[in-house]
Amino acid sequence: MIKVENGVLIYHYDAEEVWIQGWGTNGLRIRATKEAQMPEADWALDKAKCVAAEIRVEPEGAWIQNGKARLFLTNGGKITVFNQNGKLLLEEYWRNRRSVTDLKCSAIEVEAREFQPNKGGIYHLTWRLESVERSEKLFGMGQYQQPYLDLKGLDLELAHRNSQASVPFLLSSLGYGLLWNNPAVGRAVLGKNTMSFEAFSTRALDCWITVGDTPAEIEEAYADVAGKVPMMPEYGLGFWQCKLRYQTQEELLEVAREYKRRGLPIDVIVVDYFHWPYQGEWKFDPVYWPDPDAMIQELKEMGIELMVSIWPTVDPRSENYEEMLENGYLIRTERGVRIGLNYEGGTIHYDSTNPGARKYVWSKVKKNYYDKGVHIFWLDEAEPEYSAYDFDNYRYYLGTDLEVGNIYPVEYSHTFYEGMESEGQTNIVNLLRCAWCGSQKYGALVWSGDIASSFSSMRNQLAAGLNMAIAGIPWWTTDIGGFHGGNPNDPEFRELFARWFEWGTFCPVMRLHGDREPRQPQYGTTGGATCRSGAPNEVWCYGEEVYNICEKYMNLRESMRDYTREIMKEAHEKGTPVMRPLFYSYPEDTACWDVEDEYMYGGSYLVAPILEAGARSRKVYLPTGKTWENIDTKEQFAGGQWIEAAAPIDVIPVFAAK
C-alpha cells in the first residue's frame, strides 16, 4: 500500500513501513522499519532541513522529487533513484516475484531491505543495492588503514578502532552522495556486482541521498544537513609540537623556549597523557607540574597555546572515583571486577552517555584547565579492551555505540561544546581519534591514530585523509613521522621523517607527534612518572640536514597562514574540504578521477607527496584548464599532462594554479 501523509511518501506491506521525504538541498531521506512505529532519532541529520517535496502517485507506484533528486517507489516496494535528467543512479537489489512485471523478477527470493530479528526485539539489517555501473568510483566513508582512494570493490567494517573511523558518507562519480545514517556497528560491501550496507543491531534503516552535478555541489548539500565545522582558531593554522610525552613542566617549557630561541614559528605545544596524579583526576600533578598557571602564562607570552590530553578512564585511587561511583557516572561491566582497561592501573571509563557524567567531567576540566587558559583538548578514548554492549537496552549517543566500547571521543567533544556554549564560547578544537557524521560541528579535529612509522603507512594516511575529507570531516591530521617507534638517529627513519614533515605542511593541521626510540628512563616513582617517555621528537633531534628541511617547511607553512585561514573559512561556511582529491576541483577532467596520490590543498596548490624510500622524483598529473607553476623551481607547465617532477630530499613537489 502506498499513501501520502503530511508530505511523507509512505509504503506499507506486511510488517514493514517505509517513509520517504524531502531533506535538504536536492536530498531525500529514506527510512524503513518493522517496528510498530518509526523511530524518532535523526542521528546525523538536522531536523530543521526537512523540506516539502513533490509527490505524484501513479498506477505503477509513486514519484517523489526534491530538486535534482528523483525517486520512484513501485507498488512492490522497490526503490530507484534518478537525477533531474532521468539518469539512473541507485537501484535496490530486489530478487523476488512480488512484482512479476519487474525485469529482474526472480525466484531466488532476496530482499533489498532484510530485517533479521536479534534477541531483544531489534534487527540485523542488510540493505542491498545494484551496482549500476562497474566503472563507478566511490569516495568517502571515513578513515581506513588501506591505500585506496577509490573504494569501489572494498569491504569496510563500520566500527571505530584506533586509527579507523567509520564516517559512512559516500560520494559517487555518477553524481550522488549517500549517507548511511545509522551509527550501528556493521559492514559496507561496495562490490562491482552489488553493494550492501549492514547494521548488526538496529531498529530501522535510515539513509539520506543527494544528487548534484559536481562533487562540490554534493559535498555542500551534505554539509548543509550534517553540519559544518566552526571557524578554525588562529592557533590552528601553524605548527604544533608534540611527543609521547613531556614529563615535567620544566622539560616542556625548555622545548618551547628553544623553538623561540631558534626563531621557529610554533603555535601549539602539547602536554600528553599521564600528567595527572591518577587517571580520573583531570588536573596537573603538582609534583611534576608545580605551577601550571605560570607555565601557561609564559607560553602565552611566547605566543604558544597549550593543549592537554584528557582520558575517560578513572582509577579507583582517584579522588573522584567514589563520588562518580555513587552517582552512577561510571560504566558497568557485565560481570566480575569493574575494570575496563588495565594500563598503568586497573581503571573503568566514565559513562559519556550519562548527561550528569558529562557535566561532571566538564566541571573538572573547566576548573583545572579551561579557566586557566587551556582551550584545546586532546580527547583520547584510551582503547577499551572489552565489549560493553546490551542488546536489550541498545543505546546510541551522537553516532557512537556501546557495542565496541567507542563511547568516548564524540561525547567528550559534545560535552565540551555544551560547556563552551553556556559561556558564549563555541570556537574550540578537540583532537579526537575517531568521529562520526556530524562530529565536525562540535569542533572535532580527527587524527589518524597510533600508526606505524613506515612509507606504506604514510601512503595509507594520504588515502585516509582524503576520504575523511569527502566524508565531511575537514579538520584532519596525522602524526608526522608515524607514531610507533622510529629512532631519530636512524638514517632511514630520518628520510621518512623528512618526507612526512614536508607533506604535513600541506595537511589541514601540521602536527608533529610520535613515540620515539630509545625510551627514556623512568624519572620518578609517583603519579604519571610510572609511564615512561619516548625519545626526544623536536625538529633539531634529527640531524642538521633534516633540521634545515623542517625549518624550510615550518616557515613555508607560516607564510601560507592567510591562505590557510581562507580555506578554513570555506570549510566553515560551505563545508568545503581543506584537502581535496583532484576530481573535486577538476571533475570534468576524467584523468583526475583516477589519480589517487595527489591532491589539492585548497583551490590553488597541487600537492604530490613522496611516498617511497629513495625516491628523488615522481610522476605528477597536472589537471587541464590551468597553467601550473612549480613553487620551488618556478617552472611553468600547461595542464592536461603528466610530467616528471624532481624531488630532492628537501623538496615535495607542489604546483600553484595560475
Side-chain angles (χ1 to χ4, degrees):
M1 177 180 68
I2 291 177
K3 60 182 179 178
V4 180
E5 289 185 0
N6 300 317
V8 181
L9 177 61
I10 298 175
Y11 169 83
H12 191 100
Y13 181 82
D14 196 4
E16 184 189 36
E17 186 153 289
V18 179
W19 289 10
I20 307 170
Q21 60 195 127
W23 211 283
T25 305
N26 302 319
L28 296 167
R29 185 181 184 184
I30 302 169
R31 283 178 282 178
T33 189
K34 289 191 174 181
E35 297 210 321
Q37 64 183 36
M38 191 68 67
E40 296 181 358
D42 292 311
W43 304 126
L45 295 176
D46 182 350
K47 195 172 188 65
K49 300 300 180 180
C50 179
V51 298
E54 178 186 347
I55 301 175
R56 186 175 75 254
V57 179
E58 299 179 346
E60 296 80 17
W63 288 93
I64 179 170
Q65 180 166 355
N66 179 25
K68 296 178 180 179
R70 301 177 67 233
L71 181 150
F72 185 68
L73 174 67
T74 70
N75 289 328
K78 179 179 176 178
I79 291 171
T80 47
V81 179
F82 305 83
N83 70 8
Q84 72 275 22
N85 301 316
K87 178 183 177 181
L88 176 64
L89 303 177
L90 287 164
E91 178 182 0
E92 286 189 318
Y93 182 89
W94 283 95
R95 295 294 187 271
N96 58 40
R97 290 186 286 194
R98 189 181 299 175
S99 176
V100 295
T101 60
D102 191 311
L103 296 178
K104 295 175 181 175
C105 170
S106 172
I108 63 175
E109 292 295 328
V110 176
E111 293 181 278
R113 304 182 296 270
E114 181 179 6
F115 290 84
Q116 293 180 328
N118 290 327
K119 293 180 180 178
I122 50 181
Y123 299 93
H124 180 142
L125 166 68
T126 304
W127 188 38
R128 299 182 177 91
L129 299 163
E130 303 278 358
S131 184
V132 174
E133 291 185 12
R134 287 175 62 88
S135 61
E136 178 184 24
K137 294 180 179 296
L138 298 170
F139 309 92
M141 293 300 290
Q143 174 179 280
Y144 292 87
Q145 294 303 315
Q146 49 83 24
Y148 307 112
L149 181 60
D150 178 9
L151 304 175
K152 189 68 170 178
L154 271 60
D155 184 337
L156 303 175
E157 180 188 40
L158 302 181
H160 289 168
R161 299 180 183 272
N162 186 335
S163 77
Q164 175 178 298
S166 169
V167 189
F169 174 76
L170 274 179
L171 188 151
S172 168
S173 60
L174 299 183
Y176 69 86
L178 187 155
L179 168 65
W180 179 245
N181 191 34
N182 190 322
V185 171
R187 182 185 184 197
V189 180
L190 309 175
K192 289 186 178 294
N193 58 338
T194 64
M195 300 194 299
S196 63
F197 291 86
E198 288 181 72
F200 295 161
S201 186
T202 191
R203 300 186 186 281
L205 182 154
D206 193 338
C207 76
W208 175 81
I209 296 166
T210 188
V211 174
D213 295 329
T214 65
E217 185 178 16
I218 294 168
E219 196 73 22
E220 289 170 15
Y222 169 49
D224 193 50
V225 299
K228 305 178 185 75
V229 290
M231 180 57 194
M232 175 64 79
E234 193 66 24
Y235 56 71
L237 307 180
F239 173 73
W240 295 23
Q241 171 62 44
C242 185
K243 64 160 287 188
L244 195 82
R245 62 186 183 83
Y246 294 116
Q247 302 174 117
T248 67
Q249 177 175 320
E250 186 58 28
E251 180 188 10
L252 180 136
L253 282 173
E254 188 52 36
V255 167
R257 293 167 187 149
E258 182 64 18
Y259 270 101
K260 303 309 287 188
R261 280 194 290 265
R262 291 172 178 262
L264 297 172
I266 175 174
D267 278 14
V268 174
I269 195 166
V270 183
V271 178
D272 204 343
Y273 68 167
F274 286 90
H275 62 267
W276 45 71
Y278 290 109
Q279 294 176 70
E281 293 180 355
W282 294 282
K283 65 180 184 181
F284 289 99
D285 186 338
V287 176
Y288 309 107
W289 306 85
D291 195 347
D293 290 349
M295 173 181 65
I296 293 167
Q297 181 59 34
E298 182 178 346
L299 289 171
K300 285 187 179 295
E301 289 172 357
M302 289 189 281
I304 301 173
E305 293 291 327
L306 181 68
M307 168 178 272
V308 295
S309 175
I310 296 174
W311 274 28
T313 43
V314 184
D315 193 303
R317 298 168 292 179
S318 161
E319 63 185 12
N320 299 316
Y321 182 86
E322 288 299 327
E323 182 180 4
M324 297 184 75
L325 180 66
E326 180 178 347
N327 285 285
Y329 294 164
L330 305 173
I331 68 169
R332 297 172 295 282
T333 51
E334 186 175 355
R335 60 178 66 87
V337 179
R338 192 179 294 206
I339 293 179
L341 181 71
N342 186 12
Y343 184 73
E344 301 292 326
T347 60
I348 195 70
H349 296 74
Y350 101 102
D351 183 1
S352 59
T353 67
N354 183 327
R358 299 200 303 271
K359 184 177 180 180
Y360 181 89
V361 172
W362 165 245
S363 71
K364 300 294 182 180
V365 170
K366 181 178 183 299
K367 174 184 176 182
N368 296 318
Y369 300 122
Y370 182 75
D371 288 348
K372 295 179 183 295
V374 179
H375 298 164
I376 323 170
F377 302 101
W378 180 341
L379 309 171
D380 201 313
E381 71 272 32
E383 300 97 42
E385 296 176 349
Y386 57 90
S387 180
Y389 66 90
D390 181 349
F391 281 127
D392 293 324
N393 298 289
Y394 197 62
R395 296 184 292 168
Y396 298 105
Y397 183 71
L398 283 177
T400 55
D401 57 81
L402 298 178
E403 183 167 278
V404 292
N406 288 330
I407 59 176
Y408 314 110
V410 179
E411 285 67 29
Y412 259 136
S413 180
H414 189 238
T415 300
F416 291 3
Y417 194 89
E418 286 175 333
M420 300 285 184
E421 277 194 314
S422 68
E423 302 182 16
Q425 299 278 343
T426 57
N427 197 11
I428 60 169
V429 176
N430 291 317
L431 183 63
L432 308 169
R433 189 175 316 197
C434 287
W436 199 70
C437 310
S439 294
Q440 64 275 3
K441 61 179 174 282
Y442 299 109
L445 162 62
V446 182
W447 100 98
S448 59
D450 296 346
I451 52 175
S453 295
S454 66
F455 274 101
S456 61
S457 175
M458 181 181 170
R459 176 66 184 86
N460 289 348
Q461 306 326 302
L462 177 58
L466 292 173
N467 275 318
M468 200 67 159
I470 294 299
I473 309 293
W475 293 0
W476 180 88
T477 188
T478 181
D479 292 353
I480 290 177
F483 175 77
H484 289 295
N487 189 320
N489 295 315
D490 178 0
E492 292 184 358
F493 182 67
R494 286 183 175 184
E495 180 186 10
L496 171 68
F497 181 87
R499 291 308 196 186
W500 211 314
F501 199 95
E502 292 163 4
W503 173 48
T505 307
F506 299 93
C507 287
V509 167
M510 184 183 187
R511 171 176 164 270
L512 174 56
H513 184 54
D515 186 15
R516 304 293 175 238
E517 298 294 339
R519 315 222 21 102
Q520 295 184 350
Q522 187 169 320
Y523 64 99
T525 58
T526 63
T530 59
C531 184
R532 293 170 59 198
S533 173
N537 189 44
E538 293 72 48
V539 295
W540 52 82
C541 300
Y542 290 84
E544 183 177 0
E545 182 181 42
V546 175
Y547 174 76
N548 291 335
I549 294 170
C550 293
E551 181 181 32
K552 170 185 174 180
Y553 283 94
M554 291 173 74
N555 287 325
L556 177 58
R557 176 76 179 205
E558 185 63 22
S559 73
M560 297 176 66
R561 182 175 287 268
D562 290 345
Y563 175 78
T564 301
R565 188 186 304 111
E566 284 302 309
I567 58 179
M568 288 294 183
K569 185 179 179 182
E570 288 184 64
H572 168 55
E573 294 179 346
K574 299 193 297 182
T576 311
V578 177
M579 297 173 67
R580 308 168 190 176
L582 293 192
F583 68 77
Y584 189 93
S585 298
Y586 300 94
E588 295 180 357
D589 185 341
T590 56
C592 288
W593 291 87
D594 295 323
V595 177
E596 300 204 346
D597 60 354
E598 306 171 23
Y599 68 98
M600 298 297 297
Y601 181 63
S604 298
Y605 292 99
L606 185 152
V607 183
I610 301 301
L611 303 170
E612 296 179 2
R616 296 297 181 265
S617 69
R618 61 156 291 173
K619 291 188 180 299
V620 176
Y621 181 74
L622 302 174
T624 190
K626 296 283 186 180
T627 297
W628 297 91
E629 181 177 277
N630 185 308
I631 68 168
D632 273 277
T633 67
K634 306 306 178 184
E635 294 176 276
Q636 293 194 354
F637 303 88
Q641 64 170 323
W642 287 91
I643 66 167
E644 187 73 22
I649 189 61
D650 63 340
V651 170
I652 176 176
V654 176
F655 297 82
K658 297 294 183 180

